[in-house]
Amino acid sequence: MRRHLSYVSLLLDAKKTLTEHRRLLVAGGWLSLLAATCLIDLRWFPAAAARLRTAARLAEETGHREIAAWCLETEAWQVLTDGGFGQALALAQAAQRVAPGGSSAYIQATAQEGRAWARLGQARETHETLNRLMRLVEPLHVPDRAEHHYRYDPAKSDAYLATTLCWLGDPSAEPYSRGVLARLESATDGPPRPRRAVAARLDLALALLAADQPDEAGQLTLAAMTSGLLVPSHHWRAAEVVSGLEARRAPEAVELREAYRELCAPAVQPS
């Protein structure tokens, strides 16, 4: 990533047309945004914030509304995972105002708004936002590169809906999460998506806690933590289930807490 950004900087110093100059600034904006997203996944927030500022500045200079919207949506995700639910809601709504209508950024920001409402415990607003999201996703086709982070994959909407319902404590969260996990682990509906499946296990574990099924919740959480696929930005989700098991004095809680300390220790940030 650094090499690509350095190459863009080098090209900016070379002779070029105004059109070529703008294309380079846009490329730099996308690369900075992608770098910020990766750094957030690693929980390296100061470095991520610097990359986000660069991406936002380049979006402003080029008038690129989609990059600008993704910057706001990315920040919304970061503060949502840190417990800033009200701020995440405001950022997700701001991203929708900036994004081109119907764009991937607009859809993703709508999904983030729903998750923020769920964390705030506002059931009516959550379901209204989820209904808007489903209307946006319904006409979409699966993109050629479904794992492209900035091209919305309609298959993600099921996983987002499951997460949102779990966070809201909706009674439908458990059966819906089971269905999502089964589809993600199956090869009958596209290729298996193991990283999404890990997050889906944690969603289901949280739903099982709410349904007073701590044994299975513990098993799923341990499987997620030992999979080797859990990224640092999802460690807090595992910690939430572990804390829930501890609050219930479940026998699995001690083993899971030890596994969490061993496998989910904070990553060292770059200087």
Side-chain angles (χ1 to χ4, degrees):
M1 189 71 66
R2 288 178 181 173
R3 184 167 64 251
H4 290 303
L5 284 166
S6 297
Y7 185 53
V8 169
S9 297
L10 181 65
L11 291 175
L12 283 169
D13 291 332
K15 185 177 180 180
K16 58 200 166 296
T17 66
L18 287 175
T19 299
E20 291 169 339
H21 181 76
R22 184 183 184 278
R23 287 177 61 190
L24 285 170
L25 292 178
V26 169
W30 282 118
L31 287 169
S32 297
L33 178 61
L34 180 58
T37 302
C38 294
L39 290 165
I40 288 171
D41 275 348
L42 292 169
R43 308 292 283 180
W44 294 347
F45 291 154
R51 293 298 188 188
L52 266 185
R53 286 193 297 270
T54 298
R57 177 174 55 81
L58 292 173
E60 183 177 6
E61 289 183 15
T62 58
H64 203 292
R65 292 170 56 199
E66 188 158 13
I67 293 177
W70 275 114
C71 288
L72 291 166
E73 187 279 334
T74 301
E75 187 178 357
W77 166 239
Q78 177 186 328
V79 299
L80 184 66
T81 64
D82 267 359
F85 308 140
Q87 185 183 0
L89 175 64
L91 286 165
Q93 291 173 335
Q96 291 170 68
R97 290 192 294 270
V98 171
S103 65
S104 291
Y106 185 89
I107 297 171
Q108 183 69 16
T110 304
Q112 291 295 15
E113 180 188 349
R115 298 207 284 190
W117 280 124
R119 279 304 203 183
L120 290 165
Q122 301 298 316
R124 179 178 61 82
E125 290 85 351
T126 301
H127 286 290
E128 287 176 353
T129 306
L130 289 176
N131 288 335
R132 282 195 287 118
L133 178 63
M134 293 302 105
R135 289 194 295 271
L136 289 167
V137 171
E138 186 177 9
L140 297 182
H141 299 287
V142 176
D144 293 336
R145 298 171 61 190
E147 295 305 317
H148 191 311
H149 185 73
Y150 302 113
R151 189 177 300 158
Y152 193 86
D153 175 11
K156 288 199 303 187
S157 62
D158 282 343
Y160 272 88
L161 180 55
T163 300
T164 305
L165 292 173
C166 289
W167 289 355
L168 185 62
D170 192 285
S172 65
E174 182 196 340
Y176 196 89
S177 296
R178 287 191 187 278
V180 169
L181 179 57
R183 288 193 293 275
L184 288 172
E185 293 182 323
S186 169
T188 58
D189 186 19
R193 294 181 169 89
R195 286 195 181 277
R196 292 186 193 176
V198 167
R201 287 191 189 98
L202 294 176
D203 284 339
L204 178 54
L206 191 63
L208 288 166
L209 271 184
D212 198 25
Q213 300 180 56
D215 291 351
E216 189 179 358
Q219 293 167 10
L220 286 165
T221 305
L222 185 61
M225 287 194 293
T226 57
S227 67
L229 297 170
L230 191 66
V231 296
S233 60
H234 287 302
H235 287 175
W236 67 274
R237 298 174 73 172
E240 189 169 32
V241 180
V242 174
S243 296
L245 288 167
E246 288 174 332
R248 289 165 175 76
R249 301 184 183 279
E252 303 87 355
V254 174
E255 179 186 1
L256 280 173
R257 177 59 68 183
E258 289 301 317
Y260 182 84
R261 291 194 186 103
E262 180 179 347
L263 299 168
C264 302
V268 177
Q269 298 195 23
S271 57

